[in-house]
Amino acid sequence: MNKSRIIIATIFIGWLPFFSFAQNICGTDIYLQKQIEENPLIEQQVEAVWEMDGLPESSASLRNGPYVIPVVFHVVHDNGIGNISYEQLESAIEVLNEDYRRTNVDSSATRAIFKPYAVDSEIEFRMARIDPDGNCTNGVVRLNEPNYTYDVWNDPKSISYWPSDQYLNIWVVNSISSGGSSGGTVLGFAQFPGTGSWSTYGIVVRHDRIGKSGIGTSVSDGRTLTHEVGHCLNLMHTHQSGCGNSCHNSGDRVCDTPQSDHPTYACDITKNTCNTDSIGSGSVYANDVVDQIENYMSYDECQNMFTLGQKSRMHNVLENISQLQNLVSTSNLMATGVYDQQDNLCRADFETQSQIVCVGQPVDFTDRSFFYPTEFEWEFEGAYPNTSTEQNPTVVYTQPGTYSVQLSVGDGTNIVTDTKTAYIKVLPYPGSSSPLQESFEFTTSDLELNNWFVDHSDDSNYGWEHNTDEAFSGSASMKMNQLGETEGVASLISPAYGLSNLVNATVSFKTAYAQQTTTDNDIFRVYVSQNCGETWALRYVRGGNSLASIDQTSVELSNLSPSDWLDHSFNLEAHFLTEETRIRFQVTTAGGNDIFLDDINITGTLDSIPMLVYPINSTTSSAEKTLLNWKATPSTTYYEVQVDTDPSFNTSNLISAQKSYLGISSDDIDTQHELTGLTVGQTYYWRVRTATSDWSETWMFTADDSEPVGVESLKDVTSISLYPNPSTGLVNVVSNQNGEANIRVYNTLGQVVVDQQNYIQSGVPTSIDLSQMANGWYIIETNQNQMINREKVIIQHR
C-alpha cells in the first residue's frame, strides 16, 4: 500500500470514536471521502496538495503586509429562517481576522510550551465591495431557497457561486447532511484547494455557527468558520494522520503541531494521544509533549492559535496554486473593491420573508441597502399604507394581484433607487373552498396565472412543468422532469385553500413514476402550511420502490394507462384547516425516471355550523355596500342571517334574512348577503345559522365611507344589459353603443376570468361563455368608446 492510501485510510478510522459520542463535528473529512468515491483521482490530488507542507524555518514572507482574501457570503434561507443579519456576517469576518492575525483576546491562554510557535498568520478577510459584474455589493447574496438550505452538501453551490479565483465563497445554510454517518451534527465543511472542481471550492456552514455568540442566531464563538477556512487553505485536522514516526506524515504534517491520534473535545490539558512527537527529522520538540488542544484545527473548544508551520503551509498554497495566487493578487483586490475599501451609499435594495402572500397577511419589508442610508422613501403598489419613510415598514395588501415595490434611499448626499416590478404576488383570502379538486386542466400553461408556483434552480435540467401529454383524468397533469438527474430538489406549491369549515380533511392525489434501477431512491415529500406558506410541516413521504407505479425503465414515460398511476392520501390535522392552507409537493432527484402528478383532492366533513368569512371580524367595511360571506354547511333547507347594532340582536335595527340552501359549495350565492345604506361610523354585529344548527360566532364591523371592497367596488353604470340572468352559462351582452369593446368578467374575488375583444353593435347581443365557471355571481365589464359599463350576472348550473 502506498503512502497516500495509508494516510487516507487513517482519516476515516479517526472518525469512529468521534461519531460514537454524537458530537458536533466538522464534515470536511466526510466530504473528502464522498469526493474520492465519486472520483478516485481526488485521492491523488489531495495527496499532492498535502505535500505542500512547508517547514517553519522557511515561512518568512517577503510580502509587504498580509495576504487579503475577498469574501462573499451566500445566505440560503427558508422564508426568513436562517436569513441572518449583516451584523452577524460582519461578526464572522471579525472573528476570522482576530484569529488569523492573533489579536484574539484569549491568545494569552496559549500554554507556555506552545507560545513560541503561536503566530500571526498574516492573512486577512474582507467582504467584497464589487461583484463579478462590476456592480456595487456588500459581499452578501441572499437566496430564499427552502430546497437548498436543509440537509445539504454541495446543493446550494449550484444556485449561487462567484468565481473562486476572485472570491472565497461561503454558503450559509440551515443544516448540513451527516453524509450517512451515525451520530454527530455537522456544523460545516470545506474543500481542500486543488481537489475537485473550483466551482465547488469554498465552505458550507450552518447559520447558527456564524459570528460571536449572542449576535443574531449564533450560539457559538464563531470559530467553526476559522476551522473550515483553515481547510480551504490546506490545513488538516491535528489528528488527520494519527501517530507516526515523522512529523511530515503524521498528525497534521506540521512539525510544530504535536501529533494527535484522534479527536478530543473536553479541553483536557493533560491529554497526550501520541508519544512520538520528537521522533523523526524536523520536529521542534526534543521530547514528547501533550496534545495541542488549543490549535484551531483540533476539535477542542479551547482553540486560540495557529502555528508557524501552519502559517507556512497556508502561505505556500496562496503563493503556488494559480487560482489562489489570483485570489490574493493586488489586481483582484482592486477588482473586488477590497484594496482600498470605502463604504459609500451605492445601492438601494430590500427583501421580504416571502414574495407570495395572502390578502390581509402583514408583509414585513427589510431594507438591505448599502452602505448606511439614513433616509427612506417606499412606494407600495396596491398596499396599505402605499408609502412609508420607515426603514423596515410593514404593509397589508387588500386585493389579490401582482404588485411592484420601489425604494429610494439617501445619506444626505446621494440618493439611489431600486424598483422591483411584479415583486409581490397576493393570493385571495379566503382561499378556494372545499371540497376541492385539481386536475390541472388549465387554459394556460403559465402556472402563476393559476396561482400555482414552482421552486427549483433556474439553470437546472430538472423541475416541474404543466404537461398535456399524460393525465390520469382529463388531458393534463404536472410533470417533474428529472430523467437522468442524480442531484437536485424541486417543489410545486399550491394556491391558498379555505378549509376552516371542515372538521376533518383528507388530501389524496395520484402519481406515475418508474425507477431506472433498483438503487434509485427519488423521494416525494408533501408539506402543508397553515399560514399561506410562512411555515411548512412535512406530512407525507414516499420514495424509491414504494413510490414506483411502473416497472423499471430508462425510457421516458409515455402513453400512461390508468393502471400506471399510484394512489396516495394523508389526513390533515385540525390546525391545518385554515383559510390559507397551502400544499407543497417536493421531489429530491436520485436517478429515477420522470414523475407525473394528477387529481389532487381535498375532502372532509363540513362543520354543521356556518363559519363566517367576510367582513373580517373587527375591521371596517363600506356603508354603501357590504357583502356578508360565510362557509357552506352540510345539507339544510336555508341559512338565516341576522345583523344588528347590538350583539344582543334584539334592537329595532335588527335585519333578518333567509337564503335558500343550494349545496356544499361556498362559492354559491346562498352563502352571501348584501347590505346597503348602512350608517357611516356605526358598528354592526352579524351571525348566521342553518335551519337546524346553532348560531355561528358573532362578528362585528364598522361601516365607513370607503368604496366597496373587491368586485363590489366596480361602480355600476347601466349602459349594458345581460340576459338570461340568472344563466346556466351562456350570457348575452347588449350595449346601447356601437364600437370595439374589451369585455372582462370578474369573479367574486376581483379576478379576471374572461378577457376578450369584440365589436359590439347597439342592440345586437354578444355572447359570453361562462359555462365552465362555478356557480355564483360575476361582474361583466365592457370598455367601449372610452366608457366603462358593468353589470352583475348570476351563474346557476342546473
Side-chain angles (χ1 to χ4, degrees):
M1 181 179 289
N2 63 35
K3 180 174 71 172
S4 67
R5 293 195 177 275
I6 294 173
I7 302 275
I8 296 290
T10 306
I11 294 172
F12 305 116
I13 292 171
W15 296 346
L16 298 179
F18 183 37
F19 290 130
S20 64
F21 292 101
Q23 302 282 351
N24 291 330
I25 62 176
C26 163
T28 298
D29 291 340
I30 310 174
Y31 178 67
L32 176 59
Q33 176 64 12
K34 288 171 65 69
Q35 285 184 290
I36 294 171
E37 290 172 354
E38 294 171 2
N39 180 7
L41 293 178
I42 298 292
E43 187 172 339
Q44 299 175 19
Q45 294 175 1
V46 73
E47 180 58 29
V49 175
W50 282 355
E51 287 180 353
M52 300 173 65
D53 53 354
L55 299 174
E57 58 268 22
S58 69
S59 66
S61 175
L62 299 178
R63 291 179 61 86
N64 182 19
Y67 292 95
V68 176
I69 296 178
V71 174
V72 56
F73 289 99
H74 308 269
V75 180
V76 189
H77 61 96
D78 173 9
N79 292 303
I81 302 172
N83 192 17
I84 59 178
S85 68
Y86 192 72
E87 179 189 17
Q88 190 172 345
L89 296 168
E90 286 183 309
S91 175
I93 294 294
E94 181 181 358
V95 172
L96 283 176
N97 287 327
E98 288 174 353
D99 291 347
Y100 278 81
R101 296 307 308 270
R102 195 161 169 76
T103 60
N104 49 302
V105 295
D106 56 353
S107 61
S108 60
T110 303
R111 288 174 288 180
I113 191 172
F114 299 128
K115 276 192 175 180
Y117 312 107
V119 296
D120 170 5
S121 296
E122 294 187 88
I123 299 173
E124 289 184 5
F125 304 86
R126 297 175 189 171
M127 294 170 75
R129 290 297 181 256
I130 301 176
D131 71 14
D133 296 323
N135 299 317
C136 165
T137 182
N138 62 353
V140 183
V141 179
R142 297 181 183 273
L143 303 110
N144 186 6
E145 296 282 356
N147 295 334
Y148 296 87
T149 190
Y150 295 105
D151 201 32
V152 302
W153 279 109
N154 275 343
D155 314 64
K157 301 177 182 179
S158 67
I159 59 172
S160 186
Y161 157 79
W162 288 8
S164 57
D165 62 343
Q166 296 178 265
Y167 309 87
L168 177 62
N169 288 275
I170 302 175
W171 291 272
V172 182
V173 300
N174 284 339
S175 64
I176 302 171
S177 171
S178 64
S181 305
S182 57
T185 298
V186 177
L187 304 182
F189 71 90
Q191 181 174 315
F192 285 104
T195 61
S197 170
W198 283 104
S199 66
T200 56
Y201 176 70
I203 297 152
V204 178
V205 62
R206 289 170 56 111
H207 69 83
D208 57 359
R209 300 292 159 163
I210 287 287
K212 297 180 180 180
S213 179
I215 298 180
T217 64
S218 178
V219 294
S220 70
D221 54 14
R223 282 177 169 161
T224 296
L225 199 54
T226 301
H227 179 103
E228 301 304 341
V229 169
H231 287 313
C232 272
L233 298 179
N234 206 31
L235 297 187
M236 304 159 71
H237 288 133
T238 54
H239 61 272
Q240 195 89 41
S241 303
C243 307
N245 57 12
S246 171
C247 59
H248 295 293
N249 59 22
S250 303
D252 65 350
R253 299 187 176 195
V254 177
C255 288
D256 54 6
T257 302
Q259 299 170 31
S260 178
D261 181 61
H262 58 263
T264 58
Y265 306 92
C267 290
D268 180 357
I269 61 174
T270 67
K271 182 68 68 177
N272 187 1
T273 59
C274 293
N275 58 12
T276 53
D277 300 324
S278 61
I279 299 176
S281 63
S283 175
V284 300
Y285 301 105
N287 302 297
D288 180 48
V289 295
V290 293
D291 292 350
Q292 198 176 83
I293 59 175
E294 48 263 82
N295 195 284
Y296 290 125
M297 302 313 293
S298 75
Y299 281 168
D300 291 273
E301 295 183 359
C302 42
Q303 304 167 349
N304 59 54
M305 65 172 285
F306 285 121
T307 69
L308 190 60
Q310 288 175 317
K311 171 182 175 179
S312 175
R313 189 178 183 88
M314 290 188 283
H315 285 203
N316 275 346
V317 292
L318 292 174
E319 292 170 356
N320 293 294
I321 295 180
S322 60
Q323 195 88 356
L324 302 184
Q325 286 175 336
N326 188 75
L327 179 69
V328 297
S329 67
T330 299
S331 60
N332 186 57
L333 302 187
M334 296 177 69
T336 56
V338 302
Y339 182 77
D340 184 18
Q341 193 166 301
Q342 296 182 0
D343 293 342
N344 299 318
L345 179 66
C346 61
R347 181 176 173 182
D349 195 16
F350 58 87
E351 68 176 357
T352 58
Q353 181 172 313
S354 177
Q355 290 176 240
I356 303 172
V357 300
C358 286
V359 166
Q361 179 181 353
V363 182
D364 299 322
F365 283 84
T366 301
D367 166 56
R368 297 291 187 191
S369 304
F370 35 91
F371 293 90
Y372 314 120
T374 56
E375 303 164 348
F376 306 89
E377 293 285 347
W378 295 84
E379 294 183 18
F380 303 102
E381 180 187 14
Y384 178 81
N386 60 9
T387 62
S388 177
T389 57
E390 296 180 13
Q391 182 175 8
N392 300 309
T394 298
V395 302
V396 173
Y397 292 87
T398 59
Q399 293 291 306
T402 302
Y403 301 103
S404 300
V405 179
Q406 177 176 293
L407 170 64
S408 297
V409 294
D411 62 359
T413 302
N414 302 310
I415 297 176
V416 289
T417 299
D418 180 31
T419 300
K420 297 183 180 181
T421 59
Y423 181 73
I424 289 285
K425 174 73 172 182
V426 182
L427 303 180
Y429 178 94
S432 300
S433 299
S434 59
L436 294 158
Q437 192 274 338
E438 180 61 81
S439 56
F440 304 106
E441 304 298 316
F442 301 146
T443 57
T444 172
S445 60
D446 189 331
L447 293 175
E448 291 200 13
L449 290 179
N450 297 285
N451 289 332
W452 282 85
F453 303 87
V454 295
D455 181 9
H456 59 261
S457 175
D458 291 338
D459 58 357
S460 65
N461 296 319
Y462 60 85
W464 289 97
E465 69 175 16
H466 189 234
N467 176 271
T468 55
D469 295 325
E470 305 295 337
F472 179 82
S473 64
S475 60
S477 66
M478 291 300 299
K479 178 184 180 182
M480 171 66 182
N481 287 301
Q482 62 164 26
L483 181 63
E485 296 294 324
T486 58
E487 186 173 310
V489 183
S491 291
L492 172 69
I493 309 170
S494 78
Y497 298 130
L499 307 181
S500 63
N501 62 327
L502 295 177
V503 294
N504 56 63
T506 299
V507 178
S508 63
F509 57 93
K510 299 181 186 297
T511 61
Y513 162 75
Q515 295 173 291
Q516 291 198 75
T517 70
T518 56
T519 59
D520 295 338
N521 192 34
D522 301 275
I523 305 296
F524 191 102
R525 296 179 174 91
V526 184
Y527 296 82
V528 178
S529 173
Q530 62 181 322
N531 47 25
C532 200
E534 284 188 36
T535 58
W536 296 91
L538 180 63
R539 293 295 298 113
Y540 186 81
V541 182
R542 293 288 283 271
N545 184 59
S546 68
L547 178 63
S549 59
I550 303 169
D551 292 340
Q552 294 170 29
T553 178
S554 59
V555 178
E556 185 176 0
L557 300 181
S558 62
N559 298 317
L560 299 177
S561 67
S563 61
D564 292 328
W565 295 79
L566 185 66
D567 291 320
H568 307 265
S569 67
F570 62 91
N571 295 327
L572 286 180
E573 291 83 356
H575 61 274
F576 289 117
L577 304 180
T578 72
E579 287 301 284
E580 46 191 7
T581 302
R582 300 180 70 195
I583 303 176
R584 185 170 80 196
F585 300 91
Q586 183 190 83
V587 173
T588 303
T589 66
N593 216 305
D594 298 326
I595 300 177
F596 294 87
L597 170 68
D598 204 0
D599 280 23
I600 302 169
N601 288 274
I602 304 178
T603 58
T605 303
L606 294 173
D607 196 319
S608 61
I609 300 176
M611 300 194 69
L612 308 186
V613 173
Y614 187 84
I616 297 172
N617 193 27
S618 300
T619 59
T620 60
S621 190
S622 172
E624 178 186 342
K625 188 180 297 184
T626 288
L627 187 68
L628 305 179
N629 182 258
W630 58 92
K631 292 281 190 174
T633 65
S635 181
T636 185
T637 55
Y638 62 85
Y639 295 105
E640 182 180 359
V641 186
Q642 286 189 342
V643 183
D644 203 347
T645 54
D646 188 272
S648 64
F649 296 96
N650 62 4
T651 77
S652 60
N653 297 317
L654 177 65
I655 301 171
S656 294
Q658 284 192 358
K659 309 287 288 189
S660 296
Y661 182 82
L662 296 178
I664 61 174
S665 172
S666 296
D667 296 324
D668 287 333
I669 58 174
D670 62 333
T671 57
Q672 303 166 358
H673 181 66
E674 186 177 276
L675 300 173
T676 59
L678 302 178
T679 301
V680 173
Q682 177 65 56
T683 296
Y684 291 89
Y685 301 86
W686 66 289
R687 61 185 181 179
V688 183
R689 68 179 176 185
T690 71
T692 57
S693 76
D694 293 333
W695 286 106
S696 67
E697 294 181 304
T698 296
W699 280 15
M700 59 181 286
F701 67 91
T702 301
D704 62 18
D705 56 2
S706 65
E707 287 290 320
V709 173
V711 294
E712 289 303 300
S713 66
L714 301 174
K715 202 168 184 178
D716 293 334
V717 181
T718 58
S719 58
I720 62 171
S721 60
L722 310 175
Y723 73 92
N725 190 5
S727 171
T728 58
L730 196 65
V731 181
N732 293 306
V733 179
V734 180
S735 172
N736 59 0
Q737 301 180 46
N738 296 323
E740 288 287 341
N742 177 231
I743 301 178
R744 288 183 173 178
V745 180
Y746 296 83
N747 64 15
T748 56
L749 297 173
Q751 299 168 316
V752 177
V753 295
V754 173
D755 191 345
Q756 66 186 53
Q757 291 288 132
N758 293 85
Y759 184 87
I760 297 181
Q761 291 181 294
S762 176
V764 178
T766 298
S767 296
I768 306 295
D769 187 3
L770 300 181
S771 60
Q772 300 303 310
M773 301 300 161
N775 286 347
W777 56 266
Y778 297 80
I779 293 291
I780 295 183
E781 171 195 272
T782 63
N783 187 341
Q784 183 185 24
N785 301 330
Q786 298 184 332
M787 179 70 70
I788 296 177
N789 311 292
R790 303 181 182 99
E791 285 290 340
K792 182 188 294 185
V793 64
I794 296 173
I795 299 300
Q796 181 62 63
H797 301 299
R798 292 195 178 104

